[in-house]
Amino acid sequence: MIPKNFPNSTVLLQHANQKQFYKKLVQQLQKDFSLANIDIALDENLSPESLKTLIHEKLYHLLLERFSEYLNLLYVIDVPEKAFKDISMTDVVEVAEQVTFLILKRELEKVLWKNKYTP
């Protein structure tokens, strides 16, 4: 079963870690960032909090300086457009944090679907 109602990134990453999908999540993130031609060094041994921080910082940078690459990343990861309607536009830091959560959620969904349907 694929849970969809995580309150935040921390709980989502704890769930991934408990269910032993954390390494696959990191691999999926690395794969999709690479497909979007965005350099990011993600190590499977990174702590969940460090992973969240690293992605947040990268998104913040993309939002401010490389918006077209940011949009391409969201397209590659396939974050649903309707998810963006719930984002409160306060400041760039907060937007980057909320988008980090959307990306982690979508990537975990991919990992869980692959786990469920791959023999």
Side-chain angles (χ1 to χ4, degrees):
M1 172 143 189
I2 299 177
K4 296 191 180 207
N5 296 322
F6 294 106
N8 56 45
S9 298
T10 303
V11 173
L12 182 145
L13 290 169
Q14 287 173 348
H15 175 80
N17 211 6
Q18 289 170 351
K19 300 293 181 180
Q20 291 150 4
F21 291 117
Y22 181 74
K23 286 186 179 186
K24 289 183 180 182
L25 174 63
V26 173
Q27 290 169 352
Q28 184 67 45
L29 283 161
Q30 184 67 57
K31 175 184 169 190
D32 285 345
F33 270 81
S34 294
L35 286 172
N37 292 320
I38 297 173
D39 290 328
I40 190 167
L42 301 177
D43 183 355
E44 294 172 3
N45 297 319
L46 217 67
S47 73
E49 197 59 38
S50 296
L51 174 69
K52 183 176 82 168
T53 301
L54 190 61
I55 292 172
H56 180 265
E57 289 172 356
K58 180 58 85 170
L59 289 174
Y60 178 79
H61 171 75
L62 291 172
L63 275 164
L64 289 178
E65 298 182 19
R66 297 178 157 181
F67 193 71
S68 62
E69 290 179 27
Y70 163 79
L71 294 175
N72 186 48
L73 175 66
L74 297 179
Y75 176 78
V76 168
I77 292 175
D78 191 28
V79 177
E81 283 184 44
K82 64 183 177 182
F84 290 100
K85 293 180 182 176
D86 297 333
I87 291 180
S88 58
M89 299 294 175
T90 51
D91 66 351
V92 180
V93 174
E94 181 64 28
V95 170
E97 184 176 321
Q98 293 179 47
V99 174
T100 298
F101 173 65
L102 293 176
I103 286 173
L104 289 170
K105 184 176 173 183
R106 178 64 184 127
E107 295 289 55
L108 182 59
E109 287 175 353
K110 288 181 183 180
V111 167
L112 295 174
W113 280 110
K114 285 179 185 177
N115 185 64
K116 185 174 181 177
Y117 293 108
T118 301

